Each structure stands twice: as structure tokens, then as C-alpha cells.
Amino acid sequence: MKNDDKLIFTPLEREKTTITPFNRKNYPYTTFHSDEEVIHYTQEKINKAKQKSTSSSSTIISSHIKPSRKINVQAIIKRIIATALVASGITAGISGLIPFMKKTIIVNEEKNRVETKLENQGIDFEKKSDIDYKQLSIEEEDLLGAYLCDLDLDELVKTLGYKGSSDYLIKNGMVEVYESGVSHPSTEVWINYEEARLLKEKEREEQNGKSR
Amino acid sequence: MENLVNCIELDDGITYAIIDEIEVENEYYVYLVNIKNEEDFCIRKKTSIQNQEAFIQINESEFEKALLSLTKKHQNMLENE
């Protein structure tokens, strides 16, 4: 990142940045899978959905409706349409589509890996409030996946010997605490975060024909 | 942001959340996603059988049409990517 780029960000912006395990340094969102692998992955998902939608001959009546539940509908729809577009090869004009799918794939893989690991330990995700975190056996590398499974980050890091999520973020160099007691994302994380944001902003401007 | 949605159990024994419903050429398509695996989804057509709401299978061309309709309806979601 160029020095003059750094100057446009104020300390206030840095204070407002929230750091979670998502902000892992150098998290390899764009290196795990090639573009071809991503396209193949999306085509498999769409084919599976097509098969499911067209192969059943039975009729489901409304009496099969079960109690409602809370889910992030927007995020799910966004993933489905991104999958459909990439599978169809329609990626022109949406510059972040392939990186978005790469991130989606990694996030799903990570979530599924940790979910399976915890289910094998007898964890029932339908009864999250009953989970005894002291009984969990997780490693630091499982934190992101466990977080994606909607488990309590504070309780999770305690099982790893930390005092809480702040302690975890500080000890892993993700936040810096000053004498005044105020904490900010660490310089390294901040630069990484802002660099990604700048690149994204630049891509968007170029896309809109406003490149500087 | 989480929303409260209805769920339904299909003939594969899996519970799906109903995430959207779109009318296309006088047909009502419902979009279902497995509550335990958000990548697992399918589309059914909503109809009425003996005064009861029913969810029936669709053909390949309807699948393409319904998926395109979902994409068109929500394409603005991707503009911020």
C-alpha cells in the first residue's frame, strides 16, 4: 500500500473497525481455489438443485409445514444467485463475483468441517443454549468455523485458555491496547483490512468508468 | 439480519426453509433451502389440490425460468460485491 493512501484514513475510522476471527491476517480467500474449480463447484450445486427440483414425484401439502425459524434470508439468496451466475458463466460486470464465491466456498467448508467435528463430540446444534463449552475440544484453527456455527466466541476462546474474546484478539496481535485503555485494530491487521478495502473501492470505480 | 420464515419437510425427509416466492406467468414458484445446509436448495411450484396448498415438482425449463426470476429480483444484492 502506498503511503499517501494511508493518509486518507483517520484514527476515528480505525476505532470503528470491528475485528473478529474473519479478519485473520492473510486469510487465503483467493488462493485456495482456482477460478475453474469455483465454476465447477457452482455448476455442481446448480445441477444438484435442478435434480432435486425436478425428480420428486410426490406432492407435499401444507400440513407438512413446520414451525418457523430465524435465518438470514438475504445472505442465502445472495449466495444462490451468485452460484447461478457463476455456474452460467455470467460474471461480466460483477467484478467481485468470483472472489465472493471463493470466500463462500471456504466459509462453507470451514463451517461444515467444524460442525462435523463438534457433532462427533455430541454437540446438538438445535439446542445451542444447552452447550457446555467446557466439554468442547477445539483447536485455535477451528475458531472461525465454530464462530460461523453461531457459537459464542467469548466462551469458545475460554476453552483455549484465553480470558475472553478481547484477550484472544490482543494476544494474537489483532488489536492493540493503549495506556488510556482504548483499543484499536493492530497496525498489521488494519493495513491488511484497509488495503483490501482500497483495492475493492478501486475495482468498483474502474467498473463504473471513474478510474482515477 | 435474520428473518422469521416458514419451514417444510419434503419427501426426502429434510426440513427446508421457504426463503422466497415469485409469480412467473401465473405460476407461483417457492424457493426452499435446507435448514442444515444452506447450499442445498430446490424450487417447487405452489398450487392448490383439493383446497389444500401443495408444493409440486417442476420441469427443467421451469427450473431455469424460476432461477432466472430469482436472480432478476435480487440482482441488486450483488452490486455491492
Side-chain angles (χ1 to χ4, degrees):
Chain A
M1 190 159 84
K2 287 180 222 159
N3 283 334
D4 48 342
D5 284 338
K6 283 182 199 171
L7 297 175
I8 63 172
F9 299 105
T10 66
L12 185 65
E13 280 180 289
R14 188 170 159 187
E15 270 180 52
K16 286 194 291 190
T17 309
T18 306
I19 299 294
T20 71
F22 281 114
N23 303 84
R24 280 179 171 195
K25 283 173 267 186
N26 304 319
Y27 200 74
Y29 281 139
T30 54
T31 55
F32 270 16
H33 299 280
S34 68
D35 289 5
E36 291 72 27
E37 281 173 323
V38 171
I39 292 165
H40 179 68
Y41 178 93
T42 56
Q43 287 170 342
E44 271 191 343
K45 295 291 168 197
I46 295 298
N47 286 338
K48 194 180 166 198
K50 188 189 286 181
Q51 195 183 6
K52 222 170 205 196
S53 306
T54 57
S55 62
S56 166
S57 56
S58 66
T59 299
I60 306 296
I61 54 170
S62 53
S63 58
H64 288 73
I65 287 186
K66 294 192 145 197
S68 53
R69 65 160 54 211
K70 275 189 165 181
I71 58 169
N72 190 338
V73 173
Q74 273 210 331
I76 293 170
I77 291 177
K78 188 174 171 180
R79 279 198 294 271
I80 291 175
I81 62 178
T83 304
L85 288 171
V86 174
S88 315
I90 306 169
T91 53
I94 313 170
S95 61
L97 205 51
I98 294 276
F100 172 76
M101 279 313 303
K102 286 180 179 177
K103 184 176 169 181
T104 300
I105 294 168
I106 291 170
V107 162
N108 280 328
E109 285 175 347
E110 200 56 12
K111 182 173 179 279
N112 293 338
R113 183 184 68 77
V114 176
E115 201 168 59
T116 305
K117 180 173 179 172
L118 295 179
E119 275 172 350
N120 289 339
Q121 290 177 29
I123 298 301
D124 183 355
F125 284 94
E126 294 290 312
K127 296 174 186 166
K128 283 183 192 146
S129 55
D130 294 346
I131 294 173
D132 180 1
Y133 284 84
K134 287 176 192 151
Q135 300 296 316
L136 294 185
S137 171
I138 60 163
E139 316 287 329
E140 294 222 7
E141 63 178 27
D142 299 331
L143 270 183
L144 176 66
Y147 178 82
L148 293 167
C149 291
D150 278 338
L151 298 185
D152 188 320
L153 184 59
D154 225 35
E155 295 296 332
L156 286 169
V157 295
K158 281 180 189 169
T159 69
L160 296 170
Y162 295 97
K163 288 175 192 162
S165 50
S166 298
D167 187 39
Y168 167 79
L169 294 171
I170 292 164
K171 286 185 175 155
N172 282 281
M174 293 182 185
V175 297
E176 290 161 357
V177 182
Y178 299 98
E179 282 179 16
S180 61
V182 176
S183 60
H184 294 312
S186 68
T187 309
E188 195 179 348
V189 168
W190 170 248
I191 289 173
N192 208 325
Y193 181 92
E194 280 307 316
E195 192 164 17
R197 193 172 78 85
L198 274 173
L199 282 171
K200 205 170 181 179
E201 201 171 80
K202 199 177 166 192
E203 274 176 15
R204 215 174 280 159
E205 282 175 3
E206 280 173 358
Q207 204 67 39
N208 294 334
K210 296 182 211 162
S211 64
R212 280 172 263 182
Chain B
M1 192 182 68
E2 294 196 322
N3 311 74
L4 204 57
V5 294
N6 283 327
C7 295
I8 186 164
E9 187 180 316
L10 292 189
D11 44 338
D12 55 7
I14 296 172
T15 301
Y16 294 83
I18 301 173
I19 55 164
D20 205 354
E21 186 178 322
I22 301 177
E23 183 191 351
V24 186
E25 295 164 7
N26 296 321
E27 301 281 13
Y28 288 87
Y29 294 101
V30 286
Y31 301 79
L32 308 164
V33 63
N34 182 342
I35 57 167
K36 287 190 174 171
N37 176 7
E38 294 173 355
E39 285 190 299
D40 178 17
F41 74 98
C42 65
I43 305 170
R44 292 284 174 110
K45 199 158 60 178
K46 196 167 85 171
T47 187
S48 179
I49 296 176
Q50 293 171 344
N51 290 328
Q52 274 198 307
E53 200 173 61
F55 299 87
I56 59 171
Q57 71 172 105
I58 56 177
N59 60 39
E60 286 200 12
S61 117
E62 286 176 314
F63 178 83
E64 305 291 346
K65 196 162 52 181
L67 195 55
L68 183 64
S69 300
L70 183 78
T71 307
K72 278 184 179 169
K73 182 179 172 183
H74 299 285
Q75 63 186 358
N76 60 324
M77 281 184 186
L78 293 175
E79 282 169 9
N80 294 326
E81 277 308 313

